[in-house]
Amino acid sequence: LIQQEQVLLSQKRNAVDVEEAIQVQEQLDSLFKLMSQSSETKGYAFLRSGEIPIWEQVQETLQREQLIIGNRRLLVVEYYCTPNYTILFGMCAEWTEPKVEPIQIDYQALANFVKLHFRQPDGVRMMIEDIGELPWHKFGSLLSPLSKWSEPNDILCLIPYGILHDLPLHTLLLEGDYLIDRNPVFYCPSLSVL
């Protein structure tokens, strides 16, 4: 099936006109529909088809992942950060719906801090030597929803956005502990990668 997909994708790229591209896309859609009927290719078909998932599909995916990791609770946390506002989205298999929480943060102060300490050679080392960790921890509000959403030892998937990609969010404090000491953490560049 995947080989069929590759052939169809090549045909679509080489289509001589719009009609041919539409015909090939229809064949691809049929192939993805066929793939979605098999438990082995269902997830792949879903990702490749470009459809936006409904919550139940996300829950099902999270439940499968939790089984793979030994039935440990998995929390996916995605940030959206702009100069005007920052929002945290949370997803967990046990929840009836995703959670959304606005975060109060001085974006300009964060951007300046990132530029000074995380985008300069030896910036982090100089920060620790000169001023310590305290200035970094004033951005702990980036984690604040996690105190309500997660328990110690839940596995956290952090998906940063924009300037947050430059930051070691796992080194911020949550409930008096470094996040990495409270929870296993891994990063993902985008939710679509999962």
Side-chain angles (χ1 to χ4, degrees), residues 65-132:
E65 290 301 316
Q66 284 183 177
L67 288 173
I68 291 169
I69 58 176
N71 254 350
R72 292 184 65 187
R73 190 165 176 243
L74 172 64
L75 179 65
V76 176
V77 179
E78 184 166 16
Y79 290 86
Y80 184 71
C81 185
T82 73
N84 300 318
Y85 56 88
T86 300
I87 299 173
L88 194 59
F89 301 92
M91 293 164 273
C92 187
E94 294 85 29
W95 296 349
T96 57
E97 60 185 13
K99 297 186 180 189
V100 180
E101 184 91 24
I103 297 173
Q104 298 300 317
I105 192 123
D106 182 340
Y107 182 88
Q108 192 56 53
L110 178 62
N112 291 339
F113 191 83
V114 167
K115 183 179 179 183
L116 182 63
H117 298 292
F118 291 100
R119 289 190 178 160
Q120 298 295 324
D122 292 327
V124 173
R125 181 185 56 76
M126 289 187 295
M127 174 187 72
I128 298 297
E129 289 176 0
D130 296 343
I131 58 176

Side-chain angles (χ1 to χ4, degrees), residues 153-182:
N153 296 316
D154 286 349
I155 298 173
L156 303 179
C157 172
L158 300 181
I159 304 172
Y161 183 86
I163 64 171
L164 300 181
H165 280 285
D166 293 335
L167 302 176
L169 298 169
H170 61 280
T171 65
L172 286 170
L173 295 175
L174 181 65
E175 299 176 338
D177 292 320
Y178 293 107
L179 180 61
I180 194 66
D181 290 338
R182 181 183 184 270

